Amino acid sequence: MNSIFKNPKIDPTAINRLHPVANDNNPQLYIETYGCQMNVNDSEVVISLMQKNGYSYTEDINKADVILVNTCSIRDNAEQRVWGRLQQFKALKKKKKNLLVGVIGCMAERLKEKLLEEDKLVDIVIGPDAYRDLPNLVKEAELGNQGINVLLSREETYAEISPVRLDKNGVSAFVSIMRGCNNMCSYCVVPYTRGGERSRDAKSILDEVQELIDNNYKEVTLLGQNVDSYNWVDPKNEKHKTTFADLLEQVAKLSPTLRVRFATSHPKDMNDDVLHVMAMYSNICNSIHLPAQSGSSAMLEKMNRGYDREWYLGRIAAIKKILPDCAISTDIIAGFCGETEEDHKQTLSLMEEVGYDMAFMFKYSERPNTKAARKFTDDVSEEEKTRRLNEIIDLQNKISAECKSNDIGQTFEVLVEGVSKRSEDDLFGRTSQNKVVVFPRMNYNIGDYVFVKIVSNTSATLIGEIAE
Ligand code: 5AD
Ligand code: SF4
């Protein structure tokens, strides 16, 4: 039996309270999510808002009365995929006359009315700060009126909305702690699609995490574009401020058996206070995602990242000193405007020097209206971007393989997330360092903590056995 309900510690009714409530008599909402973890969490907020307005969530697109696609604009290929999906939805609309299609999220914000231009393609367009208006616009669309709301807000954090959890396992959940971004990296569309940065009321975050604990969740990931600049100022007492280090500590203290993760850190803002809090609480996971983007100081300057190579390496040295067992991951962009072969080599050397456990690696994709699009020329050819990206990927594969083989023989505490796709007899979970481990199921259940000794690895996972 795969059921989490086998675990006597988990009360199934409690889990259902946070999960989508099926009711076939209600109009059915289907939602497809692209892009970052923040978008996944936004979809959960949207389902919550729609459920309160009489809609039920369905995972079956054929049952849908309303299809929403939560979109990403970060690279052109992310947008192209959505355009392709919209054409497929158009075919469904022909078969089911009253079917409504809405585009929400970053692409809605970036393209606005343009999404409504093609006849019978899209009925509703809503940006990331306007989800509260969704039920109204859906009602209007049911009457045949197209609707759009792409207003950005300086305050909206959806603080009091309890997201309906889309994760299947009832073990790990995302919790947004802030929205928007003030950094203005020259290549990035996010400040335009998600607006300015605002922090969410610390108490509402702690309440949400407590609710997850009460419902037997074992892991939360605190989300923000730049968690290190989280700063909640209590409007009733402006002297009462909560920094990210404070918040992390308060969340970690809620329960020693709750794992706490966070993303994304920014090298210019990640301070030692955060690292010391991580060192103090064993339930804060030893894993930091610290996007470098490039190893060349000249490129970093042009990217407006607010740090140079030396500063970045200084932050890495601080992590290694304060948290010797911490895994470090990163994002890298290949072929930014004016990137020379020498700049590219500096990225490769940075990757070797740091020894990343994992990396997300991308070709630069020009985004309309960003500073890079307005001021610089996208002058690295497609072939050259591909070559550089492949070199970066090959190097990272080599480094990741080394990191994995270093784990062999070591024992890690693993939080069980599910049954292995390859075999019913195996479970999988993650180490504190966010590495996936597959190991024999025995009598363990989803949501358990298990000590596992690593015996071998594949390219993607560690293979282990139960430690004595
Ligand atoms: N082109 C390629 N990659 C980008 N990213 C952000 N903007 C772009 C772009 N225009 C990458 C960065 C960021 C990650 C989420 O996406 O590496 O950290
Ligand atoms: Fe997330 Fe950025 Fe994509 Fe928007 S553009 S969905 S913020 S990754």
Side-chain angles (χ1 to χ4, degrees):
M1 193 168 84
N2 289 352
S3 169
I4 40 175
F5 305 139
K6 230 176 99 187
N7 184 340
K9 286 175 285 186
I10 295 181
D11 166 10
T13 51
I15 284 180
N16 282 339
R17 221 161 51 73
L18 291 182
H19 276 78
V21 185
N23 179 345
D24 282 349
N25 297 325
N26 288 342
Q28 305 287 305
L29 166 74
Y30 170 89
I31 185 159
E32 210 164 272
T33 308
Y34 295 85
C36 58
Q37 296 167 329
M38 193 72 102
N39 259 14
V40 175
N41 192 232
D42 280 2
S43 290
E44 296 177 331
V45 166
V46 163
I47 295 171
S48 178
L49 283 164
M50 291 293 283
Q51 273 189 355
K52 284 200 195 99
N53 282 274
Y55 288 78
S56 283
Y57 174 74
T58 177
E59 286 184 352
D60 181 354
I61 194 167
N62 296 308
K63 288 200 182 137
D65 299 293
V66 179
I67 296 176
L68 295 179
V69 46
N70 195 354
T71 58
C72 175
S73 291
I74 200 121
R75 283 169 291 275
D76 185 54
N77 55 13
E79 291 199 352
Q80 292 312 324
R81 224 175 327 146
V82 170
W83 282 116
R85 278 306 271 162
L86 290 175
Q87 290 303 331
Q88 288 166 345
F89 298 155
K90 192 173 183 180
L92 290 180
K93 274 167 100 80
K94 278 194 188 131
K95 281 194 226 143
K96 192 170 181 178
K97 242 183 58 213
N98 298 326
L99 177 63
L100 298 176
V101 171
V103 175
I104 67 175
C106 291
M107 232 174 123
E109 194 63 48
R110 198 182 82 72
L111 293 170
K112 303 185 169 63
E113 285 84 4
K114 285 199 193 106
L115 283 159
L116 296 172
E117 277 167 11
E118 185 177 329
D119 194 31
K120 300 200 166 60
L121 190 71
V122 175
D123 306 285
I124 303 148
V125 174
I126 300 227
D129 284 347
Y131 295 145
R132 286 180 204 267
D133 202 18
L134 189 54
N136 296 333
L137 291 197
V138 170
K139 289 219 169 68
E140 277 299 305
E142 282 165 355
L143 301 173
N145 305 317
Q146 280 185 327
I148 179 163
N149 187 341
V150 287
L151 287 176
L152 287 173
S153 153
R154 272 192 219 146
E155 285 101 33
E156 182 63 274
T157 58
Y158 303 109
E160 86 298 354
I161 294 175
S162 192
V164 171
R165 303 290 164 185
L166 283 174
D167 63 289
K168 298 266 166 45
N169 60 15
V171 174
S172 33
F174 295 130
V175 175
S176 293
I177 63 166
M178 58 207 295
R179 296 181 73 81
C181 184
N182 282 352
N183 287 319
M184 303 306 271
C185 300
S186 59
Y187 51 79
C188 190
V189 75
V190 173
Y192 306 93
T193 60
R194 286 188 164 267
E197 182 184 292
R198 63 228 101 119
S199 295
R200 176 178 169 191
D201 179 343
K203 183 170 182 306
S204 78
I205 297 169
L206 294 169
D207 288 347
E208 187 176 328
V209 176
Q210 186 59 53
E211 187 181 17
L212 288 164
I213 294 168
D214 295 344
N215 284 279
N216 276 300
Y217 275 78
K218 297 291 167 59
E219 182 178 83
V220 292
T221 303
L222 308 178
L223 294 179
Q225 302 297 340
N226 173 2
V227 291
D228 299 295
S229 62
Y230 176 85
N231 185 24
W232 169 252
V233 184
D234 188 343
K236 290 188 210 107
N237 176 4
E238 298 214 338
K239 282 198 202 117
H240 185 207
K241 293 192 175 125
T242 309
T243 65
F244 181 57
D246 301 333
L247 180 74
L248 192 58
E249 179 162 25
Q250 289 166 17
V251 172
K253 274 183 173 167
L254 289 176
S255 161
T257 58
L258 178 79
R259 274 189 171 180
V260 185
R261 299 186 184 277
F262 54 87
T264 296
S265 304
H266 197 303
K268 80 176 161 63
D269 297 319
M270 191 200 66
N271 58 34
D272 288 358
D273 291 352
V274 172
L275 302 179
H276 288 303
V277 168
M278 290 175 77
M280 246 163 28
Y281 294 87
S282 60
N283 59 325
I284 304 179
C285 289
N286 268 330
S287 162
I288 297 184
H289 187 63
L290 197 67
Q293 314 298 1
S294 169
S296 150
S297 292
M299 283 296 106
L300 290 169
E301 165 99 53
K302 219 168 163 182
M303 288 173 163
N304 198 27
R305 288 289 288 171
Y307 57 87
D308 60 11
R309 181 188 173 99
E310 283 60 46
W311 172 272
Y312 184 86
L313 286 171
R315 295 290 71 216
I316 296 290
I319 297 172
K320 289 186 176 174
K321 182 160 161 246
I322 300 168
L323 300 162
D325 293 330
C326 190
I328 305 173
S329 54
T330 200
D331 294 345
I332 299 283
I333 298 176
F336 185 57
C337 309
E339 188 190 71
T340 63
E341 186 61 23
E342 177 49 31
D343 293 319
H344 167 60
K345 290 227 160 67
Q346 295 220 3
T347 294
L348 296 173
S349 83
L350 181 89
M351 292 168 70
E352 291 212 80
E353 203 164 329
V354 177
Y356 294 110
D357 293 83
M358 202 269 296
F360 295 111
M361 299 154 284
F362 313 103
K363 273 191 251 185
Y364 171 58
S365 164
E366 186 176 273
R367 309 311 294 130
N369 297 326
T370 55
K371 183 176 171 205
R374 285 183 279 115
K375 299 251 163 82
F376 310 138
T377 316
D378 182 10
D379 54 1
V380 179
S381 70
E382 191 56 29
E383 296 70 40
E384 190 54 26
K385 281 182 188 167
T386 305
R387 184 190 66 78
R388 290 180 192 176
L389 179 65
N390 286 340
E391 266 182 37
I392 288 168
I393 293 172
D394 288 347
L395 175 61
Q396 185 53 43
N397 285 344
K398 195 187 101 201
I399 298 170
S400 297
E402 281 164 15
C403 290
K404 286 206 184 68
S405 62
N406 287 340
D407 291 335
I408 294 175
Q410 293 196 51
T411 296
F412 294 95
E413 190 175 25
V414 172
L415 172 59
V416 184
E417 286 177 32
V419 176
S420 161
K421 280 194 199 101
R422 295 246 173 95
S423 162
E424 280 274 301
D425 298 331
D426 291 335
L427 295 173
F428 78 92
R430 269 164 225 270
T431 65
S432 168
Q433 289 77 5
N434 211 17
K435 294 185 193 172
V436 177
V437 183
V438 174
F439 60 97
R441 184 173 193 162
M442 318 278 276
N443 285 323
Y444 293 104
N445 294 303
I446 294 169
D448 286 350
Y449 285 104
V450 186
F451 282 95
V452 179
K453 183 174 178 189
I454 308 306
V455 291
S456 64
N457 67 283
T458 66
S459 62
T461 44
L462 298 170
I463 315 287
E465 55 190 31
I466 307 298
E468 292 304 312

